[in-house]
């Protein structure tokens, strides 16, 4: 009988009921900080948004230890006087709005009035500010439960806010912070998006007294994109513009330049960087079959919406928005992106839109302005989607063993014919291996089976003596986004047993000195990029075993026989022997079935035999 676990104290027990009391303001602010301040990047975002609302044109960000020890934001905005500065640290104090009706027409970045109060509750803060009409500025110092102390200060017009020792009084939150490289990567990701959204700003970032980003004011979006994304990426981006219903602007990549996640697709709504599924789906729908499922183009897309048509008050960190007419926004983005694709050099025919990518209730293909027909086979081979799919954690790893569906039964059972004992009949579709045993028909996916074998070998060797590596005669430098550089840097100790020697080469590139010997003939840049994607998808709570398995799954996918490869009989026999030593559990590391088995009685029933 299914029972709930016994409770240590029953709610009906009067002695267990605690009286209702108002929370201490400090505790309330620490709880509120959990919604607003998750990591140093959250602090940077809130402080920079205040600088933007103060009219700043130059913002300096200075960090120590990835922002964990110190985050300092200096701006040349309008500044504050003493009373206003004190008031700004109270919860729900804001100059951005007065009534609820103004929320739907908000034109500022910050408006909730919680940021400074939340930051003050979990760190030590020093604010120095002066307005243009003041001869002497003001300095406020405090933190945690310590009351703010005020004193005069000589300083330029603007605001200088230092946040030190983040979560010093909340150890439970502090232990969830990642390495300095990871936290810096998240901050640079925000700064890059802001630089694309506001070319009129001069942004600089220093980490441990070393300049790591500098974006001087440049109103030309193309030049700013070159500065942020790098010349190699920017050279493969194409401009788009549409003003049919909403103003849509941007620079997006050719189909041959894509990514395994949306991390390199910057989305802006009224100048605010957001993570919005409606816009993501619209971009993917516009590319249609030019992109493999699960891949995302690279670039920046900006949508301007009239006041009152978008709600930015749907997430504590203001990273999500809600459109009043999401279908119209969706159609506008699709129209703009497809217009860009139709005008680019490699497309000479109308595009296919993948209808399954459209959100429920959204526009259908017939609503779109351009006729549709398949185009994938007409693309030059260099621009066709890659056969490698991104890692998707569709099945639980748990030491690499996944549950078995009833319809997909593993052929190896006690007393049954083993894999090496199967009789190989032939390859069909350059993908499937047809075999038989005395009592069953067996169909094997060659890529999934080999991928599973290699995955187990990678994990096992990484846990023991490590995998054989091939030193590169000339180390290869690979540009990546900061979050990916940080992920690879954090996982360096895991990658070495797998055969990789990878080191950070600045905040936006890694240097590869060795790769697994089994992948010596593969493109090392593609391998490392795929590794970076899989590791960044692991999330902040990913453990060592999960990260190791993610990396092993990515490498196995690269090294395995692929669909379309012709396998010789000796290749098949070697694969069958290798399958003998592992528990396939009917799935590859990415959750796809490896083996289909049907006994001869079942096959007979397919043909109506008794």
């Amino acid at each position: 009988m299914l029972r709930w676990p016994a409770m240590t104290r029953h709610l009906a027990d009067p002695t267990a009921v605690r009286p209702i009391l108002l929370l201490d303001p400090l505790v309330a602010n620490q709880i509120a900080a959990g919604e607003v301040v998750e990591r140093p990047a959250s602090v940077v975002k809130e402080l920079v948004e205040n600088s933007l609302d103060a009219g700043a044109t130059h913002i300096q960000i200075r960090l120590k230890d990835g922002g964990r020890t110190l985050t300092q934001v200096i701006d040349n905005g309008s500044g504050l006087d003493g009373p206003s500065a004190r008031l700004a640290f109270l919860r729900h104090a804001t100059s951005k709005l007065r009534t609820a009706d103004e929320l739907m027409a908000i034109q500022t970045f910050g408006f909730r009035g919680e940021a400074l109060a939340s930051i003050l509750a979990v760190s030590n803060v020093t604010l120095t500010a002066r307005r243009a009409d003041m001869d002497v500025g003001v300095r406020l110092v405090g933190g945690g439960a310590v009351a703010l102390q005020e004193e005069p200060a000589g300083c330029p017009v603007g605001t200088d806010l230092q946040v030190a020792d983040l979560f010093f009084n909340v150890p439970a939150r502090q232990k969830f912070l990642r390495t300095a490289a990871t936290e810096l990567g998240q901050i640079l990701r925000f700064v890059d998006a802001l630089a694309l959204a506001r070319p009129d700003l001069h942004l600089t970032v220093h980490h441990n007294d070393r300049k790591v980003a500098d974006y001087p004011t440049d109103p030309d979006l193309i030049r700013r994109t070159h500065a942020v994304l790098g010349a190699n990426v920017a050279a493969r981006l194409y401009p788009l513009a549409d003003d049919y219903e909403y103003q849509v602007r941007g620079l997006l990549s050719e189909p041959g330049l894509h990514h395994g996640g949306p991390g390199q697709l910057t989305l802006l709504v009224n100048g605010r960087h957001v993570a919005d599924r409606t816009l993501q789906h619209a971009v993917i729908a516009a590319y249609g079959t030019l992109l493999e499922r699960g891949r995302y183009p690279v670039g920046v897309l900006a949508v301007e919406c009239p006041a009152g048509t978008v709600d930015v008050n749907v997430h504590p960190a203001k990273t999500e928005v809600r459109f009043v007419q999401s279908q119209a926004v969706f159609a506008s983005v699709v129209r703009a992106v497809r217009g860009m694709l139709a005008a680019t050099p490699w497309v000479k025919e109308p595009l296919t839109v993948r209808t399954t990518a459209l959100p429920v209730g959204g526009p259908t293909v017939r609503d779109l302005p351009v006729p549709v027909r398949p185009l994938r086979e007409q693309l030059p081979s260099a621009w066709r989607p890659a056969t490698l799919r991104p890692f998707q954690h569709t099945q639980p790893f748990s030491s690499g063993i996944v549950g078995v569906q009833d319809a997909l039964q593993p052929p190896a059972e006690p007393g049954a014919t083993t894999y090496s004992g199967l009789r190989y009949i032939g390859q069909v579709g350059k993908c499937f291996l047809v075999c038989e045993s005395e009592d069953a028909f067996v169909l094997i996916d060659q890529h999934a089976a080999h991928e599973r074998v290699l995955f187990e070998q990678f994990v096992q060797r990484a846990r023991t003596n490590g995998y054989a590596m091939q030193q590169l005669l000339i180390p290869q430098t690979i540009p990546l986004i900061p979050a990916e550089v940080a992920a690879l840097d954090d996982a360096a100790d895991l990658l070495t047993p797998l055969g990789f020697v990878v080191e950070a080469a600045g905040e936006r590139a890694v240097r590869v000195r060795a790769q697994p010997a089994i992948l010596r003939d593969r493109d090392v840049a593609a391998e490392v990029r795929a590794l970076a994607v899989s590791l960044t998808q692991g999330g902040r709570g990913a453990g060592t075993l999960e990260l190791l398995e993610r990396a092993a799954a990515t490498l196995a996918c690269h090294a395995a026989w692929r669909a379309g490869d012709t396998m010789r009989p000796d290749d098949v026999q070697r694969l069958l022997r290798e399958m003998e030593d592992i528990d396939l559990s009917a799935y590859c590391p990415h959750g796809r079935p490896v083996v289909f088995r049907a006994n001869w009685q079942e096959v007979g029933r397919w043909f109506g035999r008794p």
Side-chain angles (χ1 to χ4, degrees):
M1 179 182 296
L2 178 64
R3 297 180 182 274
W4 295 110
M7 298 181 67
T8 56
R9 295 193 302 176
H10 198 280
L11 294 180
D13 180 3
T15 63
V17 177
R18 304 174 73 177
I20 297 174
L21 299 173
L22 284 174
L23 279 174
D24 180 272
L26 175 62
V27 177
N29 281 341
Q30 289 180 346
I31 294 173
E35 295 183 347
V36 178
V37 183
E38 180 187 8
R39 60 196 315 170
S42 308
V43 175
V44 171
K45 178 179 183 296
E46 296 294 344
L47 298 187
V48 167
E49 288 182 349
N50 281 343
S51 297
L52 295 175
D53 290 337
T57 59
H58 185 190
I59 300 175
Q60 303 176 59
I61 302 170
R62 296 185 173 272
L63 309 163
K64 289 186 178 179
D65 194 24
R68 301 181 305 179
T69 302
L70 176 69
T71 296
Q72 181 180 15
V73 175
I74 307 169
D75 68 55
N76 64 345
S78 59
L80 294 165
D81 58 19
S84 297
R86 278 190 168 277
L87 192 59
F89 282 100
L90 299 180
R91 287 195 70 192
H92 310 307
T94 179
S95 62
K96 317 300 171 62
L97 77 168
R98 293 291 181 265
T99 68
D101 294 338
E102 296 179 64
L103 278 174
M104 285 301 294
I106 199 76
Q107 298 294 313
T108 56
F109 287 93
F111 54 86
R112 290 172 176 267
E114 298 176 79
L116 292 183
S118 298
I119 293 170
L120 180 65
V122 294
S123 64
N124 292 310
V125 174
T126 300
L127 179 145
T128 307
R130 182 169 74 88
R131 291 193 332 203
D133 59 353
M134 298 168 54
D135 295 327
V136 179
V138 62
R139 177 175 290 120
L140 297 179
V141 180
V146 179
L148 286 168
Q149 303 297 316
E150 181 177 344
E151 61 183 29
C155 60
V157 174
T159 303
D160 178 343
L161 211 156
Q162 301 181 37
V163 177
D165 309 317
L166 186 62
F167 299 132
F168 77 97
N169 56 349
V170 192
R173 296 288 305 281
Q174 192 176 51
K175 69 180 182 181
F176 282 100
L177 294 178
R178 300 294 296 274
T179 65
T182 297
E183 299 300 345
L184 175 62
Q186 293 294 322
I187 293 170
L188 290 177
R189 198 170 196 169
F190 164 75
V191 172
D192 286 353
L194 179 61
L196 293 170
R198 293 288 303 273
D200 58 311
L201 285 176
H202 184 186
L203 294 165
T204 58
V205 182
H206 287 79
H207 183 243
N208 294 339
D209 298 323
R210 184 169 64 90
K211 184 183 292 185
V212 295
D214 187 0
Y215 300 128
T217 300
D218 191 339
D220 187 305
L221 179 59
I222 295 178
R223 286 199 300 264
R224 176 55 69 92
T225 303
H226 273 71
V228 175
L229 301 182
N232 291 336
V233 171
R236 302 174 68 182
L237 304 183
Y238 289 81
L240 60 94
D242 189 276
D243 296 310
Y244 182 68
E245 287 190 77
Y246 295 85
Q247 187 182 83
V248 182
R249 298 286 186 272
L251 290 162
L252 292 180
S253 62
E254 64 186 44
L257 178 61
H258 47 75
H259 203 253
Q264 293 194 33
L265 176 61
T266 301
L267 301 174
L268 308 170
V269 176
N270 291 353
R272 187 188 301 274
H273 180 218
V274 299
D276 184 78
R277 291 188 178 275
T278 296
L279 299 182
Q280 289 177 1
H281 287 167
V283 172
I284 296 303
Y287 274 80
T289 55
L290 297 178
L291 284 179
E292 185 184 5
R293 290 184 184 276
R295 309 298 292 185
Y296 292 80
V298 176
V300 55
L301 180 84
V303 180
E304 289 294 324
C305 300
T309 64
V310 59
D311 183 4
V312 299
N313 190 35
V314 296
H315 189 276
K318 306 183 291 293
T319 57
E320 299 176 9
V321 295
R322 182 184 295 117
F323 298 105
V324 174
Q325 296 183 336
S326 59
Q327 295 183 15
V329 174
F330 184 95
S332 294
V333 172
V334 170
R335 175 191 295 271
V337 177
R338 292 183 70 224
M340 177 272 289
L341 291 171
T344 46
W346 60 87
V347 176
K348 300 301 181 185
E349 298 288 341
L351 305 177
T352 296
V353 175
R354 183 182 296 123
T355 57
T356 55
L358 305 179
V360 176
T364 63
V365 173
R366 65 172 58 93
D367 298 321
L368 301 176
V370 184
V372 297
R373 58 173 289 192
L375 184 65
R376 178 189 297 259
E377 64 276 7
Q378 302 174 28
L379 290 175
S381 59
W383 290 318
R384 289 178 187 160
T387 56
L388 172 64
R389 291 183 180 274
F391 177 80
Q392 294 179 351
H393 202 180
T394 56
Q395 299 287 341
F397 266 120
S398 129
S399 74
I401 299 178
V402 188
V404 181
Q405 294 181 358
D406 294 338
L408 298 168
Q409 312 224 352
E413 299 172 353
T417 303
T418 58
Y419 288 111
S420 60
L422 294 173
R423 186 170 76 89
Y424 173 57
I425 297 173
Q427 182 190 40
V428 293
K430 290 189 175 181
C431 183
F432 305 105
L433 308 177
V434 182
C435 305
E436 68 171 351
S437 66
E438 292 183 0
D439 63 345
F441 161 77
V442 180
L443 192 64
I444 301 172
D445 183 319
Q446 66 188 43
H447 175 72
H450 196 205
E451 186 180 24
R452 182 72 194 199
V453 167
L454 292 176
F455 168 76
E456 295 284 352
Q457 291 177 356
F458 271 120
V459 172
Q460 181 61 29
R461 294 187 188 184
R463 291 173 173 172
T464 54
N465 299 325
Y467 219 91
M469 63 175 60
Q470 176 78 35
Q471 296 289 335
L472 300 183
L473 293 178
I474 302 176
Q476 185 167 348
T477 300
I478 303 170
L480 298 170
I481 62 174
E484 292 171 341
V485 173
L488 289 171
D489 192 45
D490 285 348
D493 292 342
L494 296 177
L495 297 181
T496 301
L498 291 172
F500 271 102
V501 176
V502 181
E503 60 188 26
E507 283 73 29
R508 299 172 186 273
V510 295
R511 185 176 297 108
V512 183
R513 299 189 179 276
Q515 68 181 116
I518 195 173
L519 298 175
R520 62 170 61 89
D521 297 326
R522 305 287 186 178
D523 178 8
V524 66
E527 299 158 12
V528 171
R529 290 190 183 100
L531 275 174
V533 170
S534 68
L535 291 171
T536 53
Q537 288 176 344
R540 298 181 64 203
T544 300
L545 176 59
E546 182 179 347
L547 290 175
L548 172 63
E549 290 179 333
R550 284 180 177 273
T554 300
L555 296 179
C557 191
H558 271 241
W561 289 99
R562 300 176 184 271
D565 290 342
T566 300
M567 294 186 68
R568 300 187 304 270
D570 57 331
D571 296 326
V572 175
Q573 294 300 331
R574 182 168 57 254
L575 175 60
L576 293 175
R577 288 194 300 271
E578 291 175 331
M579 291 169 64
E580 195 72 36
D581 299 327
I582 65 173
D583 184 350
L584 286 171
S585 299
Y587 287 96
C588 79
H590 294 159
R592 295 187 297 271
V594 171
V595 179
F596 175 78
R597 176 182 182 273
N599 59 44
W600 292 123
Q601 291 79 10
E602 183 179 356
V603 174
R605 287 196 297 272
W606 297 349
F607 294 93
R609 291 181 176 273

